[in-house]
Amino acid sequence: NSTVAFKKKMSQTLSLYQESIEKINQSLRFEYSIMDELFTFIGEKFNRYYVWTAMVFTTTGKPFYYYRLSKHRSADELFEFNLDLPKVNGVFCDEAFAYDKIYGSKAIQAKGVMTNIIENLNSQMRDKIAYLVRRTKAHAKSVEWLDYRLARFFINKNLGG
C-alpha cells in the first residue's frame, strides 16, 4: 500500500533529522544562535501552529539549522525546543515574550543583521514549503505532513543544500 510506504518514509525522515541533530550536537562546539518563530495553520485557519527555528553557529562560524513544531507559542514550548539545541554563549532573538525568560542575560534582543539572517531562513522555508506561505489556501492537512516537510528542509540545510 502506498500510504503505508509513505508513512514509513515520513518516519524515517523524522528519525534521520533527530539522529543528525544529536550527532551535530555531540561532535561540535557552538558560539551563538539566532532564533525566531513563525506561525502557520493545520487544516483550518483557527488551528494555528508555530514553527520555532534556530540557526546555531559553531566557533568557526558554520551554521546548523534546527526547528520545532508546536501547537502553542509559550515559554514552555521554547524551553522544550531549547533542550534540543546545543549550548551557546549568546542567543540573538527578537523581543518576543519568552526569550528573556528562557535565556536571561544570554538573550540579545535587538533588531539588526542577525534579525535579517533568521528572517532570510524564514523566507527560504516559505519558498520551499507551500504550507508556510502567507495568505494561502494551501494549509497543511496534518501535523505529521508538515513535520515531515520541515524535517526534509532542515536536513537539506544541514547537509549544505
Side-chain angles (χ1 to χ4, degrees), residues 5 24 28 36 44 51 55 65 75 77 122 132 143 156:
I24 289 167
L28 298 169
D36 198 16
E44 305 289 330
V51 180
M55 294 175 66
Y65 303 86
E77 291 291 348
N122 290 348
L132 299 177
V143 174
N156 188 45

Side-chain angles (χ1 to χ4, degrees), residues 50-114:
Y50 293 88
V51 180
W52 300 86
T53 58
M55 294 175 66
V56 185
F57 292 81
T58 64
T59 54
T60 61
K62 179 165 178 39
F64 286 91
Y65 303 86
Y66 296 74
Y67 82 96
R68 178 180 173 83
L69 184 61
S70 68
K71 178 70 178 150
H72 303 285
R73 181 178 179 249
S74 66
D76 290 340
E77 291 291 348
L78 179 57
F79 178 78
E80 290 296 321
F81 182 37
N82 183 56
L83 295 176
D84 293 336
L85 300 175
K87 302 300 175 227
V88 294
N89 295 324
V91 178
F92 293 91
C93 50
D94 60 20
E95 296 174 355
F97 67 102
Y99 292 110
D100 62 338
K101 289 180 184 175
I102 302 300
Y103 296 107
S105 63
K106 286 186 179 182
I108 303 162
Q109 296 178 300
K111 297 276 184 187
V113 172
M114 298 304 180

Side-chain angles (χ1 to χ4, degrees), residues 88-153:
V88 294
N89 295 324
V91 178
F92 293 91
C93 50
D94 60 20
E95 296 174 355
F97 67 102
Y99 292 110
D100 62 338
K101 289 180 184 175
I102 302 300
Y103 296 107
S105 63
K106 286 186 179 182
I108 303 162
Q109 296 178 300
K111 297 276 184 187
V113 172
M114 298 304 180
T115 304
N116 294 341
I117 292 170
I118 196 73
E119 290 298 336
N120 183 290
L121 176 65
N122 290 348
S123 178
Q124 289 176 41
M125 284 192 315
R126 290 185 192 282
D127 286 346
K128 301 290 184 196
I129 304 171
Y131 303 134
L132 299 177
V133 175
R134 294 179 181 165
R135 297 184 181 155
T136 183
K137 293 182 181 179
H139 304 303
K141 306 240 183 309
S142 71
V143 174
E144 295 81 14
W145 179 249
L146 180 57
D147 202 15
Y148 164 72
R149 297 293 299 159
L150 287 163
R152 284 188 58 189
F153 176 83

